[in-house]
């Protein structure tokens, strides 16, 4: 269940191709190496956190990825998403096949970098934002990935791929899937109608409280999100990070995948996020405690700057 760049980037419906997104991986309290300003040439860069630079090779003190000598030019990698069987039916198992292509040659990419312990992170979100899934497709010979999914109801879904093609930059690619209404026993999805929900949330074995700074997030400006976890004893990294977040706007235009920026002694975890538009956002956050993955959700209204 994921990167270099800002706290988040909106994914536009135009062409149904998401832009690459900044992922702020989790870390413990910043070390001197993480916060000190390098004094020499800044040639070595973290591919996930571009603000982390060094004058010598090594690993990123924030996310642990190997520093690279410069960053390749950013380019969007096309993705083909196909299905077997081709006629999608709600409530039945469907095989999704993901194929990533080199933007210069058009050839299928067959080598990927591991990001947060996986080659491929996949998210699925329903039109009404009631359904959320974070999982990991299986690699096939030649570089394609497959995943057996069940779409619970007819309607529209967004499927998001988070991959890092070797020689490229981390990618967040979204596709829209329409599941036709073929079974009247399954009511179709409706557009999301979200009301703010910022109160404490209970998951499998933790309770999570959210506070934001500013208290009323502003579109286009950085928002700090502080998650207080109770009990904190037994909190563990999940897929190499202290938490994973996906945020989606109520119209499913913006899809944002990010990771913690800081932790504070284990019981409080901070994410930094830039909401691109004045909308209401559904936020899913995942934390692991004593081997159990906890998923909580919050609904955050975002306003324009007056």
């Amino acid at each position: 269940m994921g990167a270099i760049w800002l706290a988040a980037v909106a994914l536009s419906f135009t062409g149904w191709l998401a832009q690459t997104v900044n992922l702020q991986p989790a870390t413990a309290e910043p070390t001197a190496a993480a916060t000190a300003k390098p004094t020499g040439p800044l040639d070595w860069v973290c591919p996930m956190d571009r603000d982390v630079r060094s004058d010598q090779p090594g690993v990123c003190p924030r996310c642990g990825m190997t520093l690279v000598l410069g960053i390749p030019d950013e380019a969007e990698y096309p993705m083909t998403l196909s299905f077997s069987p081709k006629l999608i039916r709600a409530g039945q198992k469907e095989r999704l096949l993901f194929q990533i292509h080199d933007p210069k040659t058009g050839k299928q990419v067959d080598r990927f970098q591991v990001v947060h312990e996986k080659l491929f992170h996949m998210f699925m979100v329903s039109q009404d934002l009631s359904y959320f899934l974070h999982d990991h497709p299986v690699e096939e010979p030649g570089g394609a990935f497959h995943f057996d999914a069940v779409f619970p109801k007819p309607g529209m879904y967004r499927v998001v791929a988070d991959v890092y093609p070797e020689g490229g930059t981390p990618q967040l690619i979204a596709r829209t899937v329409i599941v036709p209404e073929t079974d009247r026993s399954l009511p179709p999805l409706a557009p999301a109608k979200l009301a703010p929900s910022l109160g404490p949330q209970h998951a499998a074995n933790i309770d999570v409280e959210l506070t934001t700074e500013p208290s009323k997030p502003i579109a286009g400006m950085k928002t700090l999100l502080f998650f207080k976890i109770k009990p904190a004893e037994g909190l563990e990294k999940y897929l190499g990070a202290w938490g994973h977040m996906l945020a989606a706007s109520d119209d499913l235009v913006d899809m944002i995948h990010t990771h913690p920026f800081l932790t504070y002694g284990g019981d409080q975890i901070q994410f930094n996020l830039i909401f691109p538009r004045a909308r209401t956002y559904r936020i899913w956050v995942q934390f692991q405690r004593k081997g159990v993955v906890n998923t909580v959700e919050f609904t955050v209204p975002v306003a324009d700057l007056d």
Side-chain angles (χ1 to χ4, degrees), residues 8-271:
V9 171
L11 302 175
S12 171
F13 276 121
T14 305
W16 305 110
L17 176 61
Q19 301 296 322
T20 53
V21 72
N22 296 321
L23 305 180
Q24 299 276 2
T27 180
E29 286 284 0
T31 63
T35 57
K37 295 182 179 180
T39 57
L42 305 182
D43 295 328
W44 296 88
V45 185
C46 174
M48 295 186 69
D49 296 280
R50 281 195 174 184
D51 60 315
V52 177
R53 302 194 173 198
S54 175
D55 60 349
Q56 56 187 337
V59 297
C60 175
R62 185 182 298 162
C63 71
M65 289 198 70
T66 301
L67 302 181
V68 297
L69 188 58
I71 288 288
D73 292 337
E74 292 184 17
E76 295 177 2
Y77 280 62
M79 181 180 76
T80 301
L81 175 59
S82 54
F83 305 90
S84 179
K86 292 184 178 180
L87 178 60
I88 306 173
R89 295 181 181 273
Q92 297 186 15
K93 184 179 293 185
E94 311 287 345
R95 173 152 291 192
L96 281 62
L97 183 68
F98 301 86
Q99 295 170 292
I100 312 297
H101 301 277
D102 188 296
K104 295 181 180 179
T105 66
K107 294 182 179 180
Q108 181 175 307
V109 179
D110 58 5
R111 296 181 67 87
F112 296 85
Q113 298 278 3
V114 173
V115 177
H116 289 288
E117 301 180 5
K118 298 291 183 179
L119 290 175
F120 198 121
H121 295 261
M122 182 203 72
F123 299 90
M124 289 177 55
V125 178
S126 62
Q127 180 179 5
D128 62 358
L129 297 178
S130 66
Y131 177 74
F132 165 82
L133 176 69
H134 173 194
D135 215 320
H136 308 94
V138 178
E139 186 178 19
E140 296 188 348
F145 291 81
H146 75 260
F147 183 81
D148 293 330
V150 176
F151 297 93
K153 295 180 179 181
M156 185 180 74
Y157 294 80
R158 289 284 265 171
V159 178
V160 182
D162 182 359
V163 293
Y164 184 2
E166 189 169 286
T169 56
Q171 305 284 309
L172 197 69
I173 312 170
R175 289 289 180 269
T176 296
V177 176
I178 303 297
V179 179
E181 186 177 358
T182 57
D183 184 350
R184 294 190 176 182
S185 66
L186 296 173
L189 297 167
K193 295 182 179 179
L194 302 181
S197 177
L198 298 169
Q201 299 293 317
H202 178 71
N205 64 3
I206 59 172
D207 293 305
V208 183
E209 298 177 3
L210 169 64
T211 57
T212 67
E213 184 181 321
S215 58
K216 296 181 179 180
I218 303 298
M221 301 180 66
K222 183 185 292 185
T223 299
L224 309 185
L225 299 97
F226 300 96
F227 295 91
K228 186 81 170 181
I229 299 174
K230 301 177 182 179
E233 177 268 329
L235 194 65
E236 304 162 335
K237 284 188 175 182
Y238 172 50
L239 297 174
W242 288 108
H244 295 259
M245 175 190 290
L246 185 78
S249 59
D250 54 3
D251 60 0
L252 286 183
V253 171
D254 308 322
M255 305 289 287
I256 304 164
H257 181 202
T258 189
H259 300 88
F261 184 72
L262 290 174
T263 63
Y264 297 84
D267 65 338
Q268 182 165 281
I269 296 177
Q270 175 188 336
F271 288 75

Side-chain angles (χ1 to χ4, degrees), residues 245-305:
M245 175 190 290
L246 185 78
S249 59
D250 54 3
D251 60 0
L252 286 183
V253 171
D254 308 322
M255 305 289 287
I256 304 164
H257 181 202
T258 189
H259 300 88
F261 184 72
L262 290 174
T263 63
Y264 297 84
D267 65 338
Q268 182 165 281
I269 296 177
Q270 175 188 336
F271 288 75
N272 292 349
L273 203 59
I274 296 177
F275 295 100
R277 296 182 301 140
R279 303 289 304 192
T280 301
Y281 287 79
R282 171 71 45 88
I283 295 175
W284 295 271
V285 190
Q286 295 182 298
F287 303 107
Q288 180 168 304
R289 178 174 176 265
K290 294 186 174 181
V292 177
V293 177
N294 293 262
T295 302
V296 293
E297 62 182 54
F298 297 88
T299 305
V300 180
V302 178
D304 279 322
L305 181 65

